[in-house]
Amino acid sequence: MNNEIRVFCPATIANISCGFDVLGVSLDAVGDEMVIRKKSGKGITISKLEGQDLPMETHLNVAGVAGMALLEKADHAGGFDIEIYKKIKAGSGIGSSAASAAGAVWAMNELLGKPFSKLQLVQFAMEGEKLASGVAHADNVAPALFGGFTLVRSYQPLDIVPIASPSELFATVIHPQIEVKTADSRKILKTNITLKEGIRQWGNLGGLIAGLFTNDYELIGRSLEDHIVEPVRSMLIPGFDQVKSEAIKAGALGGGISGSGPSIFTFSKGQDTAEKVAKSMKEVYEHIGVDYDVHVSNINTAGVKAIH
């Protein structure tokens, strides 16, 4: 059995407009890399961390915390050492902390001969998310571990449902170079909604999932509506309304805030349209003078995976 593994840890889009805290999707074009190896000593060490200024102390790093949650339940006398190569910027809204947490537990599980199910791995990775945002949410770590789209049907008990997606569906994500911390963006949300708002949201969530299963791109587009969270959080993102409207003019099916922001995502049918959408989004930020990163990606159906 191998004592070392290198993995690709995908970026993810969570919430996906109408699916706040329950829906997410894994991306193929952007992600971190990690190297995890067995060691004879107990516990977890982080020996290298490149790309972002993040803590290397095990108890302060999401990968370390998630890994320790796994180690507590594992029949393993030794420990693990972790190297992290961050390519997803912290606070970007595309699952930076989830990639580290999911990558760590997936790799450790592989090195131990896969004693844990994907659902158990999600539970371990959620402990890392709790460190990052104060809430043990699964809408980023679930797609990172399962691949594709996932629905968190229930948190008590945890129940993850993989969702099919059309083969020509592409995501365009633009990240304006401002940081919005998940914990901060949660503080501004209202904690109660009206029954009317709830009914509208449930209808869109059901429509989006039906559209994904039936390859109905127009239904997917019509269902990408959020009248609860987006109106509040979009105020933290410069140019949000303009970016979204220009993307739809360029052919996007629809879009919204990726995770807690500030990244903005759109879905398109086909890569060519997704590239045109990227151009339209870039032009908005160039006009208002905000630096950005942009990613065009197909849907990653594998989730975290070993690389050589």
Side-chain angles (χ1 to χ4, degrees):
M1 198 175 287
N2 288 340
N3 289 320
E4 180 177 306
I5 190 169
R6 178 181 283 266
V7 293
F8 170 79
C9 318
T12 47
I13 300 168
N15 300 335
I16 312 181
S17 296
C18 50
F20 180 72
D21 269 9
V22 299
L23 208 55
V25 65
S26 180
L27 302 179
D28 213 26
V30 57
D32 295 340
E33 290 185 15
M34 300 174 80
V35 177
I36 286 90
R37 61 182 66 85
K38 285 182 181 176
K39 62 170 192 169
S40 55
K42 291 187 181 297
I44 288 172
T45 51
I46 299 167
S47 59
K48 190 180 281 191
L49 202 166
E50 294 182 0
Q52 292 286 293
D53 183 18
L54 294 167
M56 291 179 67
E57 298 91 339
T58 303
H59 68 289
L60 297 176
N61 185 288
V62 294
V65 169
M68 288 303 294
L70 179 146
L71 210 48
E72 281 172 21
K73 303 283 186 186
D75 180 19
H76 179 53
F80 293 95
D81 179 67
I82 304 175
E83 296 178 11
I84 306 171
Y85 303 90
K86 292 296 293 179
K87 297 179 184 178
I88 310 169
K89 290 183 177 167
S92 59
I94 52 172
S96 179
S97 59
S100 295
V105 298
W106 188 91
M108 290 174 192
N109 193 48
E110 291 289 307
L111 292 174
L112 293 174
K114 300 186 187 177
F116 299 110
S117 68
K118 283 185 179 176
L119 191 66
Q120 288 173 302
L121 295 183
V122 169
Q123 290 175 309
F124 300 140
M126 284 168 66
E127 292 304 311
E129 289 289 68
K130 188 175 180 180
L131 173 70
S133 68
V135 179
H137 57 96
D139 51 342
N140 286 103
V141 292
L145 287 161
F146 278 80
F149 284 83
T150 55
L151 172 73
V152 185
R153 190 206 63 80
S154 162
Y155 276 94
Q156 296 292 336
L158 187 65
D159 187 4
I160 308 293
V161 184
I163 306 293
S165 65
S167 59
E168 290 183 84
L169 195 68
F170 277 76
T172 305
V173 182
I174 194 159
H175 171 217
Q177 298 296 292
I178 59 165
E179 184 172 348
V180 176
K181 287 198 183 322
T182 303
D184 294 338
S185 70
R186 276 187 175 270
K187 286 175 190 167
I188 64 170
L189 296 178
K190 54 186 180 181
T191 53
N192 294 299
I193 61 169
T194 65
L195 183 59
K196 187 177 178 182
E197 287 171 322
I199 291 166
R200 200 173 180 187
Q201 199 87 333
W202 303 326
N204 281 316
L205 180 57
L208 177 55
I209 290 171
L212 290 168
F213 270 112
T214 59
N215 298 341
D216 188 333
Y217 291 93
E218 288 187 5
L219 178 56
I220 291 167
R222 292 202 305 278
S223 304
L224 288 169
E225 286 189 6
D226 174 14
H227 303 283
I228 296 171
V229 177
E230 188 175 294
V232 182
R233 282 186 168 170
S234 61
M235 293 187 289
L236 302 175
I237 304 170
F240 174 82
D241 291 332
Q242 194 181 353
V243 168
K244 189 173 170 182
S245 67
E246 290 299 320
I248 289 167
K249 279 184 204 167
L253 300 167
I257 300 168
S258 179
S260 57
S263 286
I264 303 166
F265 82 92
T266 58
F267 289 138
S268 300
K269 183 180 181 181
Q271 187 169 1
D272 288 349
T273 303
E275 298 282 3
K276 284 177 197 160
V277 169
K279 185 171 179 286
S280 75
M281 295 165 98
K282 287 192 241 181
E283 284 170 356
V284 174
Y285 280 128
E286 281 165 9
H287 181 70
I288 62 177
V290 173
D291 290 336
Y292 60 84
D293 292 326
V294 69
H295 310 287
V296 175
S297 181
N298 58 319
I299 306 306
N300 170 5
T301 55
V304 179
K305 53 193 172 188
I307 53 175
H308 302 290

